[in-house]
Amino acid sequence: MTKFINFTLMVFTALFLTFMCGIVAKPIHADLSTKYIHSTTPTLFFHGYGSGAHAEEYMVNGFVKAGVSKTVITADVASDGTVTLKGDIPHNAVNPLVMVNFNDNHNTNYELQGQWVKNVLEELQAKYHFKQVNIEAHSMGNMAVMYYLLANAGNHNLPQIQKQVAMAGTFDGAIGWNEPANLTVNKKTGKPSAMNDSYQKLLPLRHRYPKQIKLLNIYGDLKDGNDSQVSNASCLSLKYLINNRARSYREVKITGPNAKHELLHHNPQVNKILISFFWGK
């Protein structure tokens, strides 16, 4: 009888310790924040001219730290358009984040860049079967996204964009390069006073821009109507291109020293805005 009692105690003790170890071993931050929407829709980030995925790291790391997601991969696009996905998105991963990297980052052929955007979406679709995506783009990365939409807005076989953030967009050019002189926009319509060639090619979007997209246009103002590289007028000319077709459209002006063109995506204020827009309940 004594042996049976001792054996029972040993078994009970072993089970109890296993249970307790299981509790102690649970990761401290295993659960994502319940403040945010939990969705399997990925959010893609596109960098600007001469940049790369490294420029997106501050934002993405901020989202992970805030508890939005714990899944981050990189989509590397070679100069021939070949896409290599680095990292893995687990089944049912919450709010996965995809940093896109264009190796040929000085290319200004927007039609080609639009094809690269399509290649990334097709690669993600082929591997993970995504039907919807969110997109954020900075600077000239916006032109890649807009030219993608120009060519593919009616293609419902591709993942459909649900939310789009345009940050410091060079829609009607950049200062000292291809932005028309003394550029202004009509505050009501967003129509620019002059249109460069690249902008004119986007005009068909006024009748094609997808109606399901919620669009947020973020631009920086260093108190002189520009962010040091792009005028507010060029950024705000986006409104004319979408022609009231978006499901929603909002403009947000960022001021202060971190409103500078290259610092907008290293700005805690911008991160909070993005979190609220993409994943806020």
Side-chain angles (χ1 to χ4, degrees), residues 26-212:
K26 184 178 180 181
I28 296 174
H29 300 295
D31 295 328
L32 294 164
S33 175
T34 57
K35 294 187 296 183
Y36 311 121
I37 292 171
H38 284 192
S39 168
T40 56
T41 299
T43 302
L44 284 63
F45 302 88
F46 291 88
H47 61 79
Y49 180 84
S51 189
H54 63 275
E56 302 150 15
E57 289 178 351
Y58 176 87
M59 290 187 300
V60 168
N61 290 339
F63 302 151
V64 172
K65 187 175 180 180
V68 166
S69 176
K70 53 184 178 182
T71 302
V72 181
I73 71 166
T74 300
D76 200 60
V77 184
S79 57
D80 65 357
T82 302
V83 178
T84 303
L85 299 179
K86 298 180 178 179
D88 188 59
I89 300 177
H91 181 64
N92 288 331
V94 174
N95 304 329
L97 309 172
V98 182
M99 299 190 300
V100 180
N101 184 73
F102 291 162
N103 284 322
D104 187 4
N105 61 4
H106 289 85
N107 194 305
T108 57
N109 182 332
Y110 300 144
E111 287 90 350
L112 179 60
Q113 289 186 3
Q115 180 62 47
W116 292 347
V117 174
K118 182 182 181 183
N119 293 353
V120 171
L121 291 177
E122 287 182 328
E123 189 67 24
L124 287 169
Q125 184 184 48
K127 185 170 183 179
Y128 299 111
H129 311 292
F130 292 127
K131 295 182 178 180
Q132 299 179 339
V133 295
N134 298 324
I135 284 180
E136 181 276 338
H138 177 259
S139 191
M140 202 172 74
N142 286 286
M143 298 303 282
V145 173
M146 295 301 280
Y147 270 77
Y148 160 77
L149 286 172
L150 179 67
N152 300 283
N155 188 345
H156 295 287
N157 293 319
L158 291 165
Q160 299 298 291
I161 301 173
Q162 301 303 301
K163 296 180 180 180
Q164 178 185 354
V165 171
M167 193 185 305
T170 58
F171 301 107
D172 203 5
I175 297 170
W177 180 39
N178 61 345
E179 182 178 299
N182 305 312
L183 185 66
T184 60
V185 292
N186 182 302
K187 291 183 179 180
K188 185 177 180 180
T189 66
K191 185 176 182 178
S193 56
M195 303 176 185
N196 67 19
D197 291 342
S198 300
Y199 188 93
Q200 290 181 48
K201 290 179 181 178
L202 289 173
L203 289 176
L205 273 176
R206 287 177 51 78
H207 306 289
R208 295 182 196 170
Y209 188 83
K211 294 182 178 181
Q212 82 278 358

Side-chain angles (χ1 to χ4, degrees), residues 220-223 253-260 263-264 267 269:
D221 190 346
L222 297 173
K223 296 183 179 180
K253 179 169 71 173
I254 305 298
T255 58
N258 281 349
K260 194 173 182 181
L263 297 181
L264 278 172
N267 186 323
Q269 179 189 359

